[in-house]
Amino acid sequence: MENLIALLVAAPLLGAAVLLCGGRRLDRGGHWIGTLLAVVSFAVGVLLFTDMLGKDPEHRAMHQALFSWIPVEGFQADVAFQLDQLSMTFVLLITGVGSLIHVYSIGYMEHDERRRRFFGYLNLFLAAMLLLVIADNYLLLYVGWEGVGLASYLLIGFWQHKPSAATAAKKAFLVNRVGDMGLSIAIMLMFTTFGTFAFGPVLESTSETSEGMLTAIGLMLLLAACGKSAQVPLQSWLGDAMEGPTPVSALIHAATMVTAGVYLITRSGAIFNGAPDAQLAVVIVGAVTLLFGAIVGCAKDDIKKALAGSTMSQIGYMILAAGLGPIGYAFAIMHLVTHGFFKAGLFLGAGSVMHGMNDEVDMRKYGGLRKYMPVTFVTFGLGYLAIIGFPGLSGFWSKDKIIEAAFAYDDGIRGWIFGGVALLGAGITAFYMTRVMIMTFFGEKRWQPDAEGNEPHPHESPRSMTIPMIVLAFGSVFAGGLFSLNESFVKWLEPVTQFEHPHPVISVPAITASTVVVLLLGAALAYVMYGRKEVPVTAPRGSLLTRAARRDLLQDDFNHVVLVRGGEHLTRSLVYVDHTMVDGAVNGTAAGFGGLSGRLRKVQNGFARSYAVSMFGGTAILIAATLLMRAV
């Protein structure tokens, strides 16, 4: 079975090559090729998963070495794959949800004349993400990491005729390059410290490495995770990435790209376990981001951008859990998987609403759509209940475990702080998601004819779009409960990720009750503000916090002032230093030698009497020096 691992990447990579290089002759059926090869990759993943289940937990890991990539003395890099319980979880999520998104895209992109190219980019994205999670060393992971960045740039900017889409793609690409610098530096530090970048030797040698070096590597890995997973301070690209087609949002923000940082930190758990300061930095970043994204989501009227803020917040929960160490690794991955189901379903539901509303994204122009789109309403509603942590649904089982682990952090004041932040985030999540639900599906219709007199005629989407939504809805309802049954998911990951049962500073029943009360309060507040009052078609001015949240809590303004303006001032300062000091020193030295040579040139005047005087003077100086030396 090990020989099939490479096929996971090869199938979508072949699809990308065929669709992007095959030309217009494939325009009519290219989408079927892309979808088929995504399904082939999923089928291979299921076969490997079945084979893995038939083995003892300690012997489930598989390895496949293809060839030596860089065989030089002292530097060995192989193209080799490692499939264990952690990477298998990602493989099934990426290929399963990715295949459903391919199917959904058949209907969603039906009238796009560049549909073949779109499916080629989707296949390329799957191939890069799969390479990232099954690589057996950090250098090959870096190749997949960069491939994901390239594919996301192509997908976000797919409608590049729109200036906003082109700008969003460039923004995502550039912000991610900052994070990528962190990963490249971490790999360099690994090689100089361990002499290799293969997972096994690196992670097994951490106990023999200084805490300072592990902290440096951990912080660089965190920087990389912040870029890919849109965590503070590299989160500014995520909201703008909504300019891409909706299936791109579902693919990037649910199951793939934004989860790469969580995978990186969890895979590198041994490094962070030996670096408490880096671990604390991970927890702080996750806690800040989960509140940041939730607050932004409260103020967005664009349905996709509200869900983007939600993604930022939910990934913050996962990063927080990953920073908690052995008490949180398994729960971070568990929430990642359940989130893949309900967030993909929510994005596809948003796309279905847009499909029936002439691509309108402003929720203030929706209202009462449950009557016109019953399947979308039910599937979106189940995703909504799952993400707010309604008891019994997937989000309840995974997010509540993260809250419990946060309250168990450090058995002291930190537990209260981070547990309280996680609990507060649950309440804000219930508020903004209830707001989205009410503004979209309840109340009276608020849409009006456009400037040309065309009025939307909302209708249910075709089966190619609704069937994937129904499948994802089942995952939103049942996945978390199945994973929690007899701690099956924790036991599945335990041979790869360390696990310790958390011991919160307050009892688990009290935490569960508090979480339910908080989410009910958040939902009730949203109902009072949006369900019992008429939603204005034009957004009111709002408070200072609301206005800031609409502008993503001024993250772009901060970047412009600190990075753009700061970069400009730094550049001007360097130019000044170059002109005044560097060029001044060079030009001054040249001028000095030029003046000296001009003066020395006067000595060589061609007159014999001048040379005779020079010779006489030199002779006199030598005789005087000789006599002086003898006297001494």
Side-chain angles (χ1 to χ4, degrees):
M1 278 292 183
E2 287 84 353
N3 295 331
L4 294 178
I5 298 177
L7 191 55
L8 290 169
V9 178
L13 189 60
L14 174 63
V18 170
L19 294 176
L20 297 178
C21 301
R24 292 191 173 277
R25 67 176 68 91
L26 296 176
D27 281 354
R28 185 169 296 181
H31 51 286
W32 293 112
I33 296 174
T35 303
L36 175 63
L37 289 171
V39 173
V40 166
S41 186
F42 174 64
V44 173
V46 172
L47 283 175
L48 291 168
F49 174 66
T50 304
D51 181 66
M52 189 176 284
L53 287 177
K55 301 177 181 178
D56 294 332
E58 295 77 14
H59 301 95
R60 285 175 172 169
M62 306 179 192
H63 190 271
Q64 182 183 14
L66 293 186
F67 56 90
S68 184
W69 178 16
I70 309 176
V72 296
E73 185 176 356
F75 187 91
Q76 185 72 28
D78 297 328
V79 174
F81 303 132
Q82 173 179 298
L83 196 63
D84 55 22
Q85 289 90 326
L86 178 61
S87 52
M88 175 57 77
T89 302
F90 277 83
V91 164
L92 293 177
L93 181 66
I94 294 165
T95 58
V97 175
S99 296
L100 291 173
I101 292 171
H102 275 71
V103 174
Y104 178 93
S105 300
I106 293 173
Y108 190 87
M109 302 294 290
E110 182 179 5
H111 302 294
D112 196 298
E113 61 182 13
R114 299 172 65 237
R115 180 166 62 168
R116 168 185 57 83
R117 185 176 294 273
F118 179 78
F119 276 82
Y121 292 159
L122 286 183
N123 273 196
L124 179 62
F125 194 101
L126 283 189
M129 191 67 198
L130 287 166
L131 178 62
L132 189 159
V133 299
I134 67 173
D136 85 331
N137 62 81
Y138 285 96
L139 191 61
L140 189 59
L141 178 150
Y142 187 77
V143 176
W145 193 272
E146 291 300 316
V148 167
L150 170 62
S152 67
Y153 167 78
L154 296 171
L155 287 167
I156 294 169
F158 183 74
W159 288 327
Q160 70 266 30
H161 59 276
K162 297 165 53 180
S164 57
T167 301
K170 287 187 289 186
K171 184 177 182 180
F173 190 83
L174 292 174
V175 172
N176 272 273
R177 297 293 73 74
V178 178
D180 296 350
M181 284 295 296
L183 182 55
S184 61
I185 293 172
I187 294 173
M188 295 175 195
L189 292 175
M190 289 175 191
F191 187 76
T192 56
T193 304
F194 305 107
T196 180
F197 27 70
F199 291 148
V202 168
L203 300 178
E204 290 169 4
S205 303
T206 53
S207 59
E208 305 167 2
T209 308
S210 68
E211 183 178 319
M213 179 55 69
L214 293 179
T215 299
I217 295 174
L219 292 176
M220 290 298 100
L221 292 175
L222 174 59
L223 178 62
C226 287
K228 275 291 182 288
S229 295
Q231 299 292 285
V232 172
L234 300 179
Q235 80 287 5
S236 62
W237 66 271
L238 192 66
D240 292 338
M242 296 299 103
E243 292 294 334
T246 300
V248 174
S249 303
L251 188 65
I252 290 177
H253 300 150
T256 53
M257 180 172 172
V258 292
T259 64
V262 183
Y263 170 78
L264 181 65
I265 293 174
T266 306
R267 174 63 74 186
S268 308
I271 294 174
F272 287 94
N273 291 341
D277 292 338
Q279 242 178 4
L280 178 60
V282 174
V283 175
I284 292 173
V285 166
V288 171
T289 307
L290 78 86
L291 290 181
F292 189 105
I295 293 171
V296 168
C298 291
K300 293 296 185 181
D301 295 325
D302 183 320
I303 187 170
K304 289 175 65 177
K305 290 192 175 183
L307 293 178
S310 170
T311 297
M312 191 187 304
S313 179
Q314 297 303 308
I315 300 295
Y317 273 104
M318 301 172 207
I319 293 291
L320 184 152
L324 297 174
I327 65 173
Y329 290 138
F331 300 142
I333 302 302
M334 181 176 170
H335 191 54
L336 185 151
V337 177
T338 59
H339 177 265
F341 285 112
F342 54 71
K343 183 52 63 67
L346 289 169
F347 268 114
L348 296 188
S352 179
V353 170
M354 292 168 58
H355 181 80
M357 292 293 292
N358 295 345
D359 290 329
E360 178 62 64
V361 296
D362 190 345
M363 293 184 294
R364 295 185 178 275
K365 299 178 182 178
Y366 290 166
L369 291 181
R370 70 184 188 280
K371 305 172 187 176
Y372 305 93
M373 312 177 73
V375 176
T376 301
F377 167 65
V378 172
T379 55
F380 193 98
L382 291 173
Y384 150 73
L385 292 174
I387 195 173
I388 69 172
F390 190 83
L393 274 71
S394 290
F396 170 80
W397 299 106
S398 57
K399 190 163 64 177
D400 277 29
K401 286 296 183 182
I402 293 177
I403 297 174
E404 291 173 17
F407 272 110
Y409 184 54
D410 206 25
D411 294 329
I413 187 64
R414 290 180 181 176
W416 286 101
I417 293 174
F418 293 117
V421 167
L423 189 61
L424 176 61
I428 302 175
T429 300
F431 173 82
Y432 69 73
M433 285 305 305
T434 303
R435 173 179 179 267
V436 170
M437 197 71 188
I438 291 173
M439 292 178 68
T440 302
F441 294 102
F442 293 90
E444 300 298 324
K445 73 171 189 176
R446 297 184 296 274
W447 59 87
Q448 299 293 333
D450 58 21
E452 299 177 355
N454 298 318
E455 182 175 338
H457 296 284
H459 56 277
E460 190 56 87
S461 300
R463 289 184 179 179
S464 63
M465 297 173 64
T466 57
I467 290 176
M469 291 158 55
I470 293 170
V471 174
L472 291 169
F474 272 95
S476 301
V477 174
F478 299 111
L482 292 175
F483 293 160
S484 299
L485 191 63
N486 296 323
E487 295 186 331
S488 57
F489 193 80
V490 170
K491 293 176 181 177
W492 163 257
L493 289 179
E494 197 167 4
V496 183
T497 60
Q498 290 179 283
F499 177 72
E500 297 176 5
H501 283 280
H503 299 287
V505 292
I506 55 178
S507 67
V508 172
I511 294 174
T512 302
S514 300
T515 304
V516 173
V517 170
V518 166
L519 75 87
L520 290 176
L521 288 175
L525 180 60
Y527 174 73
V528 170
M529 293 180 64
Y530 296 95
R532 299 183 62 181
K533 298 179 182 179
E534 184 177 352
V535 177
V537 177
T538 303
R541 179 175 173 81
S543 65
L544 180 62
L545 178 60
T546 300
R547 297 198 300 273
R550 286 178 186 150
R551 297 179 61 181
D552 300 326
L553 291 180
L554 308 180
Q555 56 186 333
D556 285 334
D557 303 80
F558 176 83
N559 290 341
H560 185 76
V561 171
V562 175
L563 300 179
V564 178
R565 289 289 180 84
E568 290 175 354
H569 289 304
L570 177 61
T571 302
R572 290 170 185 167
S573 301
L574 292 175
V575 169
Y576 175 78
V577 170
D578 181 58
H579 286 172
T580 57
M581 298 180 64
V582 178
D583 287 353
V586 173
N587 295 335
T589 303
F593 278 102
L596 179 62
S597 64
R599 289 174 174 80
L600 292 175
R601 187 165 56 246
K602 294 178 181 180
V603 177
Q604 304 295 326
N605 54 19
F607 295 110
R609 60 179 178 271
S610 297
Y611 297 154
V613 172
S614 299
M615 293 171 64
F616 176 77
T619 302
I621 292 173
L622 288 174
I623 292 172
T626 302
L627 293 175
L628 180 62
M629 292 294 294
R630 287 182 176 181
V632 174

